[in-house]
């Protein structure tokens, strides 16, 4: 004769189903968050521009850019070409890239993010295929 109560088995089964369903919901939520927030960027081109003073918000051409390619999530360092001194100009970095949805963007030296209608290589007037590749260094 069994000493277990049939009601306890039903409660245990019910809790198992609830915990499994909650685990699935959490897994999907985590996947969606990661998919939307922790994605690589592609066709990355680094350049510089004038943050303050006279000069372009970003420089174009092979002599003033560095191609990175794909940048995975994380913190990395890379060399940004320095265009030299200018009168009362403050120089900052700029970046052009393609996001995981296929949209192309540029963030200029002033920090303004703008969508661009062509890929970063064409937009920044690089010779193709680019010869100014550089590797990322992990921080």
């Amino acid at each position: 004769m069994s000493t277990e109560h049939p009601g306890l088995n039903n409660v245990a089964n019910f809790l198992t189903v609830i915990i499994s369903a909650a685990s699935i919901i959490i897994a999907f939520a985590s996947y969606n968050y990661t998919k939307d927030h922790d994605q690589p960027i592609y066709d990355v081109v680094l350049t510089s521009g004038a943050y303050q003073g006279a000069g372009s918000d970003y420089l174009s051409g092979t002599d003033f850019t560095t191609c990175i390619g794909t940048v995975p999530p994380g913190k990395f360092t890379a060399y940004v070409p320095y265009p030299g001194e200018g009168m009362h100009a403050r120089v900052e970095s700029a970046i052009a890239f393609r996001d995981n949805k296929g949209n192309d963007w540029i963030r200029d030296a002033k920090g303004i993010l703008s969508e661009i209608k062509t890929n970063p290589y064409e937009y920044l007037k690089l010779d193709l295929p680019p010869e100014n590749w550089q590797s990322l260094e992990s921080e």
Side-chain angles (χ1 to χ4, degrees):
M1 177 176 228
S2 173
T3 58
E4 293 183 20
H5 191 277
L8 290 178
N9 285 335
N10 289 340
V11 170
N13 290 338
F14 178 75
L15 288 176
T16 301
V17 169
I18 293 297
I19 291 171
S20 297
S23 297
I24 291 170
I25 291 170
I26 291 169
F28 276 116
S30 176
Y31 170 77
N32 284 332
Y33 178 84
T34 301
K35 180 181 71 149
D36 293 338
H37 294 91
D38 292 338
Q39 291 291 325
I41 54 176
Y42 307 93
D43 299 336
V44 175
V45 180
L46 300 175
T47 186
S48 53
Y51 172 77
Q52 183 178 14
S56 175
D57 293 343
Y58 57 88
L59 299 175
S60 59
T62 304
D63 293 339
F64 300 106
T65 59
T66 296
C67 296
I68 300 296
T70 302
V71 177
K75 293 184 178 186
F76 301 92
T77 58
Y79 170 75
V80 178
Y82 183 67
E85 298 292 326
M87 287 185 57
H88 305 289
R90 180 175 169 201
V91 177
E92 292 288 341
S93 62
I95 184 172
F97 62 93
R98 181 173 46 89
D99 67 16
N100 64 330
K101 294 178 182 160
N103 300 314
D104 296 299
W105 303 89
I106 188 164
R107 189 205 40 92
D108 66 25
K110 294 179 180 171
I112 298 170
L113 182 66
S114 305
E115 188 169 4
I116 55 179
K117 300 298 179 199
T118 184
N119 71 60
Y121 305 122
E122 291 177 22
Y123 190 80
L124 292 175
K125 300 176 178 80
L126 301 182
D127 296 331
L128 296 175
E131 295 180 10
N132 53 348
W133 291 104
Q134 184 187 131
S135 296
L136 295 171
E137 294 187 23
S138 183
E139 285 190 356

